[in-house]
Amino acid sequence: MMRKTTVLGGVTVALAASLAVAAPASAAPANDGAACVQAGLGTLKSLGLLQAAAQQKVDYSTLADPVNGPIYAALPAGSYLSLGQVVKLHHTNPTLFAWCR
Protein backbone atom coordinates (compact mmCIF):
# COMPACT_ATOMS: atom_id res chain seq x y z
CA MET A 1 0.00 0.00 0.00
CA MET A 2 2.86 2.40 0.79
CA ARG A 3 4.38 1.87 -2.67
CA LYS A 4 1.00 2.54 -4.29
CA THR A 5 0.62 5.76 -2.27
CA THR A 6 4.14 6.85 -3.18
CA VAL A 7 3.56 6.14 -6.87
CA LEU A 8 0.22 7.98 -6.82
CA GLY A 9 1.83 10.91 -5.02
CA GLY A 10 4.56 11.05 -7.66
CA VAL A 11 2.01 10.92 -10.46
CA THR A 12 -0.01 13.69 -8.81
CA VAL A 13 3.08 15.90 -8.44
CA ALA A 14 4.04 15.25 -12.06
CA LEU A 15 0.49 15.99 -13.25
CA ALA A 16 0.31 19.22 -11.25
CA ALA A 17 3.70 20.33 -12.52
CA SER A 18 2.78 19.58 -16.11
CA LEU A 19 -0.51 21.45 -15.77
CA ALA A 20 1.30 24.42 -14.29
CA VAL A 21 3.79 24.67 -17.16
CA ALA A 22 1.89 23.09 -20.06
CA ALA A 23 0.69 26.35 -21.57
CA PRO A 24 2.76 29.49 -21.99
CA ALA A 25 1.68 32.37 -19.76
CA SER A 26 0.43 34.26 -22.81
CA ALA A 27 -1.78 31.40 -23.99
CA ALA A 28 -5.39 31.82 -22.93
CA PRO A 29 -7.08 28.66 -21.62
CA ALA A 30 -9.88 27.25 -23.76
CA ASN A 31 -12.65 27.98 -21.22
CA ASP A 32 -13.39 29.72 -17.93
CA GLY A 33 -13.02 26.51 -15.91
CA ALA A 34 -9.58 25.89 -17.36
CA ALA A 35 -8.61 29.51 -16.73
CA CYS A 36 -9.76 29.17 -13.12
CA VAL A 37 -7.75 25.95 -12.65
CA GLN A 38 -4.68 27.57 -14.20
CA ALA A 39 -5.06 30.58 -11.89
CA GLY A 40 -5.44 28.28 -8.89
CA LEU A 41 -2.32 26.31 -9.75
CA GLY A 42 -0.47 29.57 -10.27
CA THR A 43 -1.63 30.78 -6.86
CA LEU A 44 -0.49 27.59 -5.16
CA LYS A 45 2.85 27.86 -6.95
CA SER A 46 3.31 31.53 -5.97
CA LEU A 47 2.56 30.64 -2.34
CA GLY A 48 5.08 27.78 -2.47
CA LEU A 49 2.27 25.27 -1.82
CA LEU A 50 1.97 23.40 -5.13
CA GLN A 51 4.02 20.36 -4.13
CA ALA A 52 2.36 20.19 -0.70
CA ALA A 53 -1.06 20.45 -2.37
CA ALA A 54 -0.16 17.59 -4.70
CA GLN A 55 0.79 15.55 -1.63
CA GLN A 56 -2.48 16.47 0.13
CA LYS A 57 -0.57 18.37 2.83
CA VAL A 58 -2.30 21.75 2.57
CA ASP A 59 -4.95 22.56 5.15
CA TYR A 60 -7.23 24.69 2.98
CA SER A 61 -9.04 25.99 6.06
CA THR A 62 -6.02 28.29 6.59
CA LEU A 63 -6.82 29.97 3.25
CA ALA A 64 -10.61 30.00 3.68
CA ASP A 65 -12.77 32.85 4.93
CA PRO A 66 -16.38 33.12 3.74
CA VAL A 67 -16.23 36.94 3.69
CA ASN A 68 -12.62 37.91 2.97
CA GLY A 69 -11.32 34.89 1.01
CA PRO A 70 -9.15 34.13 -0.80
CA ILE A 71 -11.21 30.93 -0.62
CA TYR A 72 -14.76 32.07 0.08
CA ALA A 73 -15.94 29.18 2.22
CA ALA A 74 -16.08 28.07 5.83
CA LEU A 75 -13.84 25.02 6.06
CA PRO A 76 -13.13 23.11 9.24
CA ALA A 77 -9.56 22.87 10.48
CA GLY A 78 -7.87 19.89 8.91
CA SER A 79 -9.39 20.34 5.44
CA TYR A 80 -6.67 18.45 3.58
CA LEU A 81 -8.31 18.06 0.18
CA SER A 82 -6.72 16.22 -2.70
CA LEU A 83 -5.49 18.34 -5.58
CA GLY A 84 -8.08 16.59 -7.75
CA GLN A 85 -10.88 17.73 -5.44
CA VAL A 86 -9.59 21.30 -5.51
CA VAL A 87 -9.27 21.27 -9.32
CA LYS A 88 -12.84 19.96 -9.60
CA LEU A 89 -14.09 22.77 -7.32
CA HIS A 90 -12.41 25.30 -9.61
CA HIS A 91 -14.57 23.96 -12.44
CA THR A 92 -17.83 23.53 -10.51
CA ASN A 93 -17.67 26.49 -8.11
CA PRO A 94 -15.22 29.10 -9.43
CA THR A 95 -16.78 31.85 -7.30
CA LEU A 96 -15.24 30.16 -4.24
CA PHE A 97 -11.82 31.41 -5.31
CA ALA A 98 -10.62 35.03 -5.37
CA TRP A 99 -8.35 34.34 -8.35
CA CYS A 100 -11.33 33.14 -10.45
CA ARG A 101 -13.61 36.12 -9.89
Side-chain angles (χ1 to χ4, degrees):
M1 185 63 161
M2 180 62 110
R3 178 158 167 66
K4 184 177 180 180
T5 302
T6 303
V7 170
L8 287 175
V11 169
T12 303
V13 170
L15 176 60
S18 67
L19 286 173
V21 298
S26 61
N31 60 52
D32 291 340
C36 185
V37 170
Q38 188 174 7
L41 290 172
T43 300
L44 287 170
K45 186 176 179 182
S46 72
L47 295 172
L49 296 174
L50 185 58
Q51 184 170 352
Q55 296 171 344
Q56 205 168 335
K57 293 181 179 178
V58 173
D59 181 357
Y60 289 94
S61 71
T62 64
L63 301 170
D65 182 304
V67 176
N68 299 311
I71 298 174
Y72 297 97
L75 296 174
S79 292
Y80 294 94
L81 306 173
S82 72
L83 190 55
Q85 289 171 303
V86 175
V87 166
K88 184 175 181 178
L89 283 171
H90 279 73
H91 277 283
T92 60
N93 296 76
T95 57
L96 290 175
F97 305 97
W99 44 87
C100 296
R101 291 177 164 213

